[in-house]
Coordinates of all heavy atoms in Angstrom, one line a residue:
Chain C
V551 N 119.2 106.9 104.2 CA 120.7 107.1 104.3 C 121.3 105.9 105.0 O 120.7 105.3 105.9 CB 121.0 108.4 105.0 CG1 120.3 108.5 106.3 CG2 122.5 108.6 105.1
T552 N 122.4 105.4 104.5 CA 123.0 104.2 105.0 C 124.2 104.6 105.9 O 125.2 105.2 105.4 CB 123.5 103.3 103.9 OG1 122.4 103.1 103.0 CG2 124.0 102.0 104.4
A553 N 124.1 104.2 107.1 CA 125.2 104.5 108.0 C 126.4 103.5 107.8 O 126.2 102.5 107.0 CB 124.8 104.4 109.5
S554 N 127.5 103.7 108.4 CA 128.6 102.9 108.2 C 128.3 101.4 108.5 O 128.9 100.5 107.9 CB 129.8 103.4 109.1 OG 131.0 102.7 108.8
N555 N 127.4 101.2 109.5 CA 127.2 99.8 109.9 C 126.1 99.2 109.0 O 125.5 98.2 109.4 CB 126.7 99.7 111.3 CG 125.3 100.3 111.5 OD1 125.0 101.3 110.9 ND2 124.5 99.8 112.4
R556 N 125.9 99.7 107.8 CA 124.9 99.2 106.8 C 123.5 99.4 107.2 O 122.6 98.8 106.5 CB 125.2 97.7 106.5 CG 126.6 97.4 106.0 CD 126.9 96.0 106.0 NE 127.3 95.6 107.4 CZ 126.6 94.8 108.2 NH1 125.4 94.3 107.8 NH2 127.0 94.6 109.4
S557 N 123.2 100.2 108.2 CA 121.8 100.4 108.6 C 121.3 101.5 107.7 O 121.9 102.6 107.6 CB 121.8 100.9 110.1 OG 121.8 99.8 110.9
L558 N 120.1 101.3 107.2 CA 119.4 102.3 106.5 C 118.4 103.1 107.4 O 117.6 102.5 108.0 CB 118.6 101.7 105.3 CG 119.4 101.4 104.0 CD1 120.3 100.3 104.2 CD2 118.5 101.2 102.8
Q559 N 118.6 104.4 107.4 CA 117.8 105.2 108.3 C 116.9 106.1 107.4 O 117.4 106.6 106.4 CB 118.6 106.0 109.3 CG 119.6 105.2 110.1 CD 120.2 106.0 111.2 OE1 119.6 106.4 112.1 NE2 121.4 106.4 111.0
W560 N 115.8 106.4 107.9 CA 114.9 107.3 107.1 C 115.1 108.7 107.7 O 115.1 108.9 108.9 CB 113.4 106.9 107.2 CG 112.6 107.6 106.2 CD1 111.8 108.7 106.4 CD2 112.5 107.2 104.8 NE1 111.2 109.0 105.2 CE2 111.7 108.2 104.2 CE3 113.1 106.2 104.0 CZ2 111.3 108.1 102.8 CZ3 112.8 106.2 102.7 CH2 111.9 107.1 102.1
R561 N 115.4 109.6 106.8 CA 115.6 111.0 107.2 C 114.5 111.8 106.7 O 114.1 111.8 105.6 CB 116.9 111.4 106.5 CG 117.5 112.7 107.0 CD 118.6 113.1 106.0 NE 120.0 112.8 106.5 CZ 121.0 112.6 105.7 NH1 120.9 112.5 104.4 NH2 122.2 112.4 106.2
D562 N 113.9 112.5 107.7 CA 112.7 113.4 107.3 C 113.2 114.8 106.9 O 114.2 115.2 107.3 CB 111.7 113.5 108.5 CG 110.7 112.4 108.4 OD1 110.7 111.7 107.4 OD2 110.0 112.2 109.4
K563 N 112.3 115.4 106.1 CA 112.6 116.8 105.7 C 112.3 117.7 106.9 O 111.3 117.7 107.5 CB 111.7 117.1 104.5 CG 112.0 118.5 104.0 CD 110.8 119.0 103.1 CE 111.1 118.7 101.6 NZ 110.1 119.2 100.8
V564 N 113.3 118.6 107.2 CA 113.2 119.5 108.3 C 112.5 120.8 107.8 O 111.6 121.3 108.5 CB 114.5 119.8 108.9 CG1 114.4 120.9 110.0 CG2 115.2 118.6 109.4
M565 N 112.9 121.2 106.7 CA 112.3 122.5 106.2 C 112.3 122.5 104.7 O 113.0 121.7 104.1 CB 113.1 123.7 106.8 CG 114.6 123.5 106.4 SD 115.6 124.7 107.1 CE 117.2 124.2 106.5
E566 N 111.6 123.5 104.1 CA 111.6 123.6 102.7 C 113.0 124.1 102.3 O 113.7 124.8 103.0 CB 110.6 124.6 102.3 CG 109.1 124.1 102.4 CD 108.9 122.8 101.6 OE1 109.3 122.8 100.5 OE2 108.3 121.9 102.2
P567 N 113.4 123.9 101.0 CA 114.7 124.4 100.6 C 114.8 125.9 100.7 O 113.8 126.6 100.4 CB 114.8 124.0 99.1 CG 113.9 122.8 99.0 CD 112.8 123.0 100.0
L568 N 115.9 126.4 101.2 CA 116.1 127.8 101.4 C 116.4 128.5 100.1 O 116.9 127.8 99.2 CB 117.3 128.1 102.4 CG 117.1 127.8 103.8 CD1 118.4 128.1 104.6 CD2 116.0 128.6 104.4
F569 N 116.1 129.7 100.0 CA 116.4 130.5 98.8 C 115.9 129.9 97.6 O 114.8 129.4 97.6 CB 118.0 130.8 98.7 CG 118.6 131.1 100.0 CD1 119.4 130.3 100.7 CD2 118.3 132.4 100.6 CE1 120.0 130.6 101.9 CE2 118.8 132.7 101.8 CZ 119.7 131.9 102.5
E570 N 116.7 129.8 96.5 CA 116.2 129.2 95.3 C 116.7 127.8 95.1 O 116.6 127.2 94.0 CB 116.6 130.0 94.1 CG 115.9 131.3 93.9 CD 116.2 132.1 92.7 OE1 116.6 131.5 91.7 OE2 116.1 133.3 92.7
S571 N 117.3 127.2 96.2 CA 117.9 125.9 96.0 C 116.8 124.8 95.8 O 115.7 124.9 96.2 CB 118.7 125.5 97.2 OG 118.0 125.6 98.4
L572 N 117.2 123.7 95.1 CA 116.3 122.6 94.8 C 117.0 121.3 95.2 O 118.2 121.2 95.2 CB 116.1 122.6 93.3 CG 115.3 123.7 92.6 CD1 115.3 123.5 91.1 CD2 113.9 123.8 93.2
P573 N 116.1 120.3 95.6 CA 116.7 119.0 95.9 C 117.5 118.4 94.8 O 117.1 118.7 93.6 CB 115.5 118.2 96.3 CG 114.4 119.1 96.5 CD 114.7 120.3 95.7
D574 N 118.5 117.7 95.0 CA 119.3 117.1 94.0 C 118.5 116.3 92.9 O 118.7 116.4 91.7 CB 120.4 116.2 94.6 CG 121.4 117.0 95.4 OD1 122.2 117.7 94.8 OD2 121.4 116.9 96.6
H575 N 117.5 115.5 93.4 CA 116.8 114.7 92.5 C 115.9 115.5 91.6 O 115.7 115.1 90.4 CB 116.0 113.6 93.2 CG 115.1 114.0 94.3 ND1 115.6 114.5 95.5 CD2 113.8 114.1 94.3 CE1 114.6 114.8 96.3 NE2 113.5 114.6 95.6
T576 N 115.5 116.7 92.0 CA 114.7 117.5 91.2 C 115.7 118.1 90.1 O 115.3 118.2 88.9 CB 114.1 118.7 92.0 OG1 113.4 118.1 93.1 CG2 113.2 119.6 91.1
I577 N 116.9 118.5 90.5 CA 117.8 119.0 89.5 C 118.2 118.0 88.5 O 118.2 118.2 87.3 CB 119.1 119.6 90.2 CG1 118.7 120.6 91.3 CG2 120.0 120.2 89.2 CD1 119.9 121.1 92.1
M578 N 118.3 116.7 89.0 CA 118.6 115.6 88.1 C 117.5 115.5 87.0 O 117.8 115.3 85.8 CB 118.8 114.3 88.8 CG 120.1 114.2 89.6 SD 120.1 112.7 90.6 CE 121.1 113.2 92.0
Y579 N 116.3 115.5 87.5 CA 115.2 115.3 86.6 C 115.1 116.5 85.6 O 115.0 116.3 84.4 CB 113.9 115.3 87.3 CG 112.7 115.0 86.4 CD1 112.4 113.7 86.0 CD2 111.9 116.0 85.9 CE1 111.4 113.4 85.1 CE2 110.9 115.8 85.0 CZ 110.6 114.5 84.6 OH 109.6 114.2 83.7
K580 N 115.3 117.7 86.0 CA 115.3 118.9 85.1 C 116.4 118.7 84.1 O 116.1 119.0 82.9 CB 115.6 120.2 85.9 CG 114.3 120.7 86.6 CD 114.7 122.0 87.4 CE 113.6 122.6 88.2 NZ 112.6 123.2 87.3
L581 N 117.6 118.3 84.5 CA 118.7 118.2 83.5 C 118.4 117.0 82.6 O 118.6 117.2 81.3 CB 119.9 117.9 84.3 CG 121.3 118.2 83.6 CD1 121.3 119.6 83.1 CD2 122.4 118.0 84.6
A582 N 117.8 115.9 83.1 CA 117.5 114.8 82.2 C 116.5 115.2 81.2 O 116.5 114.8 80.0 CB 117.1 113.6 83.1
K583 N 115.5 116.0 81.7 CA 114.4 116.4 80.8 C 115.1 117.2 79.6 O 114.7 117.0 78.4 CB 113.4 117.3 81.5 CG 112.1 117.4 80.9 CD 111.0 117.8 81.9 CE 111.2 119.3 82.2 NZ 110.1 119.8 83.1
K584 N 116.0 118.1 79.9 CA 116.6 118.9 78.9 C 117.5 118.0 78.0 O 117.5 118.2 76.8 CB 117.5 119.9 79.6 CG 118.5 120.6 78.7 CD 117.8 121.5 77.6 CE 118.8 122.0 76.6 NZ 118.1 122.6 75.4
L585 N 118.1 116.9 78.5 CA 118.9 116.1 77.8 C 118.1 115.0 77.0 O 118.7 114.2 76.3 CB 120.0 115.4 78.7 CG 121.0 116.4 79.4 CD1 121.8 115.6 80.3 CD2 121.8 117.1 78.3
G586 N 116.8 115.0 77.2 CA 116.0 114.0 76.5 C 116.0 112.6 77.1 O 115.7 111.7 76.4
I587 N 116.5 112.5 78.3 CA 116.5 111.1 78.9 C 115.7 111.0 80.1 O 115.8 110.1 80.9 CB 118.0 110.7 79.2 CG1 118.7 111.8 79.9 CG2 118.7 110.4 77.9 CD1 120.1 111.5 80.3
A588 N 114.8 112.0 80.4 CA 114.0 112.0 81.6 C 113.0 110.8 81.6 O 112.8 110.2 82.7 CB 113.2 113.3 81.7
D589 N 112.5 110.4 80.4 CA 111.5 109.3 80.4 C 112.2 108.0 80.8 O 111.6 107.2 81.5 CB 110.9 109.2 79.0 CG 110.0 110.4 78.8 OD1 109.6 111.1 79.8 OD2 109.6 110.6 77.6
A590 N 113.4 107.9 80.3 CA 114.2 106.7 80.7 C 114.5 106.7 82.2 O 114.5 105.7 82.9 CB 115.4 106.6 79.8
L591 N 114.9 107.9 82.6 CA 115.3 108.0 84.0 C 114.2 107.7 85.0 O 114.4 107.0 86.0 CB 115.9 109.4 84.3 CG 116.5 109.7 85.6 CD1 117.8 108.9 85.8 CD2 116.7 111.2 85.9
C592 N 113.0 108.2 84.7 CA 111.9 108.1 85.7 C 110.8 107.3 85.1 O 109.6 107.7 85.3 CB 111.5 109.5 86.1 SG 112.8 110.3 87.1
K593 N 111.1 106.3 84.4 CA 110.0 105.5 83.7 C 108.9 105.1 84.7 O 107.7 105.2 84.5 CB 110.6 104.3 83.0 CG 109.5 103.7 82.1 CD 110.2 102.8 81.1 CE 109.2 102.2 80.1 NZ 109.8 101.2 79.2
N594 N 109.3 104.5 85.8 CA 108.3 104.0 86.7 C 108.3 104.8 88.0 O 108.0 104.2 89.1 CB 108.6 102.5 87.0 CG 108.4 101.6 85.8 OD1 107.4 101.8 85.1 ND2 109.3 100.8 85.5
I595 N 108.8 106.0 87.9 CA 108.8 106.9 89.1 C 107.9 108.0 88.9 O 108.0 108.7 87.9 CB 110.3 107.3 89.3 CG1 111.2 106.1 89.6 CG2 110.3 108.3 90.5 CD1 112.6 106.4 89.5
Q596 N 107.0 108.2 89.9 CA 106.1 109.3 89.8 C 106.8 110.7 89.9 O 107.7 110.8 90.7 CB 105.1 109.2 90.9 CG 103.9 110.1 90.8 CD 103.0 110.0 92.0 OE1 103.0 109.0 92.7 NE2 102.4 111.1 92.4
V597 N 106.5 111.6 89.1 CA 107.2 112.9 89.1 C 106.1 114.0 89.3 O 105.1 114.1 88.6 CB 108.0 113.2 87.8 CG1 108.6 114.5 87.8 CG2 109.0 112.1 87.6
Q598 N 106.4 114.9 90.3 CA 105.5 116.0 90.5 C 106.3 117.3 90.5 O 107.3 117.4 91.2 CB 104.8 115.9 91.8 CG 103.6 114.9 91.8 CD 103.0 114.7 93.2 OE1 103.7 114.9 94.2 NE2 101.8 114.4 93.2
N599 N 105.9 118.2 89.7 CA 106.7 119.5 89.5 C 108.1 119.2 89.4 O 109.0 119.8 90.1 CB 106.4 120.3 90.8 CG 105.0 120.7 91.0 OD1 104.3 120.9 90.0 ND2 104.6 120.8 92.2
D600 N 108.5 118.3 88.5 CA 109.9 118.0 88.2 C 110.6 117.3 89.4 O 111.8 117.1 89.4 CB 110.7 119.2 87.9 CG 110.4 119.8 86.5 OD1 109.7 119.0 85.8 OD2 110.8 120.9 86.1
E601 N 109.8 116.9 90.4 CA 110.5 116.2 91.6 C 110.0 114.8 91.6 O 108.9 114.4 91.8 CB 110.1 116.9 92.9 CG 110.8 116.2 94.1 CD 110.6 116.8 95.4 OE1 109.9 117.8 95.5 OE2 111.1 116.3 96.4
P602 N 111.0 113.9 91.3 CA 110.7 112.5 91.3 C 110.3 112.1 92.8 O 110.9 112.6 93.7 CB 112.0 111.8 90.9 CG 112.8 112.8 90.2 CD 112.4 114.1 90.9
L603 N 109.4 111.2 92.9 CA 108.9 110.8 94.2 C 110.0 109.8 94.8 O 110.3 108.8 94.3 CB 107.6 110.1 94.1 CG 106.9 109.7 95.5 CD1 106.5 111.0 96.2 CD2 105.7 108.8 95.2
I604 N 110.4 110.2 96.0 CA 111.5 109.5 96.7 C 111.1 108.0 96.9 O 111.9 107.1 96.6 CB 111.9 110.2 98.0 CG1 112.6 111.5 97.7 CG2 112.7 109.3 98.9 CD1 114.0 111.3 97.2
E605 N 109.9 107.8 97.4 CA 109.5 106.5 97.8 C 109.5 105.6 96.6 O 109.8 104.4 96.7 CB 108.1 106.5 98.4 CG 108.1 107.0 99.9 CD 107.9 108.5 100.0 OE1 108.1 109.2 98.9 OE2 107.7 109.0 101.1
D606 N 109.1 106.1 95.4 CA 109.1 105.3 94.2 C 110.6 104.9 93.8 O 110.8 103.8 93.3 CB 108.5 106.1 93.0 CG 107.0 106.0 93.0 OD1 106.5 105.4 94.0 OD2 106.4 106.6 92.1
I607 N 111.5 105.8 94.0 CA 112.9 105.4 93.8 C 113.3 104.3 94.7 O 114.0 103.4 94.3 CB 113.8 106.7 93.9 CG1 113.3 107.9 93.1 CG2 115.2 106.3 93.5 CD1 114.1 109.1 93.2
T608 N 113.0 104.5 96.0 CA 113.3 103.4 96.9 C 112.8 102.1 96.4 O 113.5 101.1 96.4 CB 112.7 103.7 98.3 OG1 112.9 105.1 98.6 CG2 113.4 102.9 99.4
R609 N 111.5 102.1 96.0 CA 110.9 100.8 95.6 C 111.6 100.2 94.4 O 111.8 99.0 94.2 CB 109.4 101.0 95.4 CG 108.7 101.1 96.6 CD 107.2 101.2 96.4 NE 106.5 101.8 97.7 CZ 106.1 103.0 97.8 NH1 106.1 103.8 96.7 NH2 105.6 103.4 98.9
E610 N 112.1 101.2 93.5 CA 112.7 100.7 92.3 C 114.1 100.0 92.6 O 114.4 98.9 92.1 CB 113.0 101.8 91.3 CG 113.5 101.3 90.0 CD 113.7 102.4 88.9 OE1 112.6 102.9 88.5 OE2 114.8 102.7 88.5
F611 N 114.8 100.6 93.5 CA 116.1 100.0 93.8 C 115.9 98.7 94.7 O 116.6 97.7 94.6 CB 117.2 100.9 94.4 CG 117.0 101.4 95.8 CD1 117.0 100.6 96.9 CD2 117.0 102.8 96.0 CE1 116.9 101.1 98.2 CE2 116.9 103.3 97.3 CZ 116.9 102.5 98.4
N612 N 114.8 98.7 95.4 CA 114.4 97.4 96.1 C 114.3 96.3 95.1 O 114.5 95.1 95.5 CB 113.1 97.6 96.9 CG 113.2 98.4 98.2 OD1 112.3 98.9 98.7 ND2 114.4 98.4 98.7
K613 N 113.9 96.6 93.9 CA 113.7 95.5 92.9 C 114.9 95.0 92.3 O 114.9 94.0 91.7 CB 112.8 96.1 91.8 CG 111.3 96.2 92.2 CD 110.4 96.3 91.0 CE 110.6 97.7 90.3 NZ 109.7 97.9 89.2
G614 N 116.1 95.7 92.5 CA 117.3 95.3 91.8 C 118.5 95.0 92.6 O 119.4 94.3 92.1
M615 N 118.5 95.4 93.9 CA 119.7 95.3 94.7 C 119.8 94.0 95.4 O 120.1 93.9 96.6 CB 119.7 96.5 95.7 CG 119.7 97.8 95.0 SD 121.3 98.3 94.4 CE 122.2 98.7 96.0
W616 N 119.7 92.9 94.7 CA 119.7 91.5 95.3 C 121.1 91.2 95.9 O 121.1 90.5 96.9 CB 119.2 90.5 94.3 CG 117.9 90.8 93.8 CD1 117.6 91.4 92.6 CD2 116.6 90.6 94.5 NE1 116.2 91.6 92.5 CE2 115.6 91.1 93.6 CE3 116.3 90.1 95.7 CZ2 114.3 91.1 93.9 CZ3 114.9 90.1 96.1 CH2 114.0 90.6 95.2
T617 N 122.1 91.6 95.3 CA 123.5 91.1 95.7 C 123.8 91.5 97.1 O 124.4 90.7 97.8 CB 124.6 91.8 94.9 OG1 124.2 93.2 94.7 CG2 124.7 91.2 93.5
I618 N 123.4 92.7 97.5 CA 123.8 93.0 98.9 C 122.5 93.2 99.8 O 122.6 93.8 100.8 CB 124.6 94.3 98.9 CG1 123.9 95.5 98.1 CG2 126.0 94.1 98.3 CD1 124.6 96.8 98.3
G619 N 121.4 92.7 99.3 CA 120.2 92.7 100.2 C 119.7 94.1 100.5 O 119.5 94.5 101.7
Y620 N 119.6 95.0 99.5 CA 118.9 96.3 99.6 C 117.5 96.1 99.2 O 116.9 97.1 98.7 CB 119.6 97.3 98.7 CG 120.5 98.3 99.5 CD1 121.8 97.9 99.8 CD2 120.1 99.6 99.7 CE1 122.7 98.8 100.4 CE2 121.0 100.5 100.3 CZ 122.3 100.1 100.7 OH 123.1 100.9 101.3
T621 N 117.0 94.9 99.3 CA 115.7 94.6 98.7 C 114.6 94.6 99.8 O 113.4 94.8 99.5 CB 115.7 93.3 98.1 OG1 116.3 92.3 99.0 CG2 116.6 93.3 96.8
G622 N 114.9 94.4 101.0 CA 113.9 94.3 102.1 C 113.6 95.6 102.7 O 112.6 95.7 103.5
Q623 N 114.3 96.7 102.4 CA 114.1 97.9 103.1 C 113.1 98.8 102.4 O 113.5 99.8 101.7 CB 115.5 98.7 103.3 CG 116.5 97.9 104.1 CD 117.5 97.2 103.2 OE1 117.2 96.9 102.0 NE2 118.7 96.9 103.7
S624 N 111.9 98.5 102.5 CA 110.9 99.3 101.8 C 110.7 100.6 102.6 O 111.1 100.7 103.8 CB 109.5 98.6 101.8 OG 109.1 98.4 103.1
P625 N 110.2 101.7 101.9 CA 110.0 102.9 102.6 C 109.2 102.8 103.9 O 109.5 103.4 104.9 CB 109.3 103.8 101.6 CG 109.6 103.2 100.3 CD 109.9 101.8 100.5
E626 N 108.2 101.9 103.8 CA 107.3 101.7 104.9 C 108.0 101.2 106.1 O 107.8 101.6 107.3 CB 106.1 100.8 104.5 CG 105.2 101.4 103.5 CD 105.7 101.4 102.1 OE1 106.6 100.6 101.8 OE2 105.3 102.3 101.3
R627 N 108.8 100.1 105.9 CA 109.6 99.5 107.0 C 110.5 100.5 107.6 O 110.7 100.6 108.8 CB 110.4 98.3 106.5 CG 109.5 97.1 106.2 CD 110.4 95.9 105.8 NE 110.8 95.2 107.0 CZ 111.7 94.2 106.9 NH1 112.2 93.8 105.8 NH2 112.0 93.5 108.0
M628 N 111.2 101.3 106.8 CA 112.2 102.3 107.3 C 111.5 103.4 108.1 O 111.9 103.8 109.2 CB 113.0 102.9 106.2 CG 114.0 101.9 105.6 SD 115.2 102.7 104.5 CE 114.3 102.7 102.9

Side-chain angles (χ1 to χ4, degrees):
Chain C
V551 53
T552 307
S554 190
N555 70 323
R556 299 166 281 107
S557 278
L558 276 71
Q559 306 188 73
W560 196 258
R561 191 190 257 154
D562 272 349
K563 181 196 268 188
V564 177
M565 55 185 179
E566 290 301 317
L568 288 180
F569 315 109
E570 288 185 25
S571 58
L572 292 174
D574 292 288
H575 51 288
T576 306
I577 305 173
M578 286 175 210
Y579 183 81
K580 278 179 183 288
L581 200 54
K583 201 161 70 174
K584 168 66 189 166
L585 298 173
I587 48 178
D589 290 343
L591 186 70
C592 295
K593 190 165 182 186
N594 293 316
I595 297 164
Q596 192 188 327
V597 179
Q598 280 175 333
N599 298 327
D600 287 351
E601 181 174 0
L603 186 66
I604 288 287
E605 285 86 348
D606 277 2
I607 308 177
T608 318
R609 285 186 198 104
E610 185 174 298
F611 71 62
N612 281 159
K613 282 196 293 184
M615 298 281 286
W616 302 100
T617 42
I618 54 171
Y620 257 77
T621 48
Q623 301 98 335
S624 65
E626 292 74 24
R627 288 184 87 186
M628 287 192 274

